[in-house]
Amino acid sequence: MNILQRLNKDAETWALLVFYVMLVMTMAIEVLRREVFAYSSIWGEEIVRYSFIYLAWIGAAAAVKERVHIRIDVVMHYLRPRPKALLYIFGDLVMFGVAVIALIYSWEAVHVSWKFGSVSHGLRISMVWFLLAVPVGFALMIFRLIQSLLRDLRSLRDGTPVYEGDKLFD
């Protein structure tokens, strides 16, 4: 498996793992410092907050990839493969439109932060790095939606069942 295939398969998983470990380790250190040493830092809270934000946006892109976002799919159980594929394509197109609009507006916030040089309170790092979580998440979603649309169009063309993702409850 080459590097691009590996990234396509596991990029979000590894990014989520990095941010999750950073969040848990920082939180554990801060709790230990607060309870044992009666001292805490402002930067620990910021790392946890921004790690959580990155987790949410990258996780949303991973959910698009695996088609595991919450949805009401009662009607889907009664549809034949072709109408089901068309409905999934419609849903992905709507989500694509929303993601493009959100990407444009979230990028504007990053641009304003860059222009005025805002920094975080505790870490004194440019807020651009933290605000980038939203456009990065939406850009990943757009990429995964394009992949999903191509997969669904292929299924529609071939007459094969559309990919529905894993079921949480059966």
Side-chain angles (χ1 to χ4, degrees), residues 54-169:
Y54 268 97
L55 270 173
W57 288 107
I58 295 170
V64 167
K65 176 184 165 197
E66 297 298 325
R67 198 169 258 161
V68 293
H69 275 284
I70 295 173
R71 63 181 180 263
I72 300 172
D73 59 357
V74 173
V75 175
M76 298 298 227
H77 295 296
Y78 300 106
L79 294 176
R80 293 186 319 272
R82 184 171 175 76
K84 189 182 286 190
L86 290 171
L87 202 53
Y88 274 118
I89 290 169
F90 174 73
D92 284 349
L93 286 172
V94 169
M95 192 184 302
F96 182 84
V98 170
V100 167
I101 292 168
L103 176 64
I104 292 166
Y105 283 106
S106 63
W107 185 255
E108 188 175 322
V110 172
H111 177 71
V112 168
S113 179
W114 178 269
K115 183 178 175 181
F116 291 106
S118 60
V119 295
S120 67
H121 296 291
L123 293 169
R124 307 301 299 164
I125 295 175
S126 173
M127 285 298 292
V128 168
W129 297 108
F130 306 123
L131 293 172
L132 269 174
V134 180
V136 164
F138 278 113
L140 281 170
M141 274 188 236
I142 289 169
F143 177 70
R144 294 305 184 181
L145 282 166
I146 291 169
Q147 287 181 325
S148 178
L149 282 165
L150 293 174
R151 180 182 58 212
D152 292 346
L153 288 171
R154 205 171 16 253
S155 293
L156 187 64
R157 183 194 65 210
D158 298 342
T160 58
V162 70
Y163 176 72
E164 296 188 65
D166 292 333
K167 301 277 188 281
L168 184 58
F169 301 108

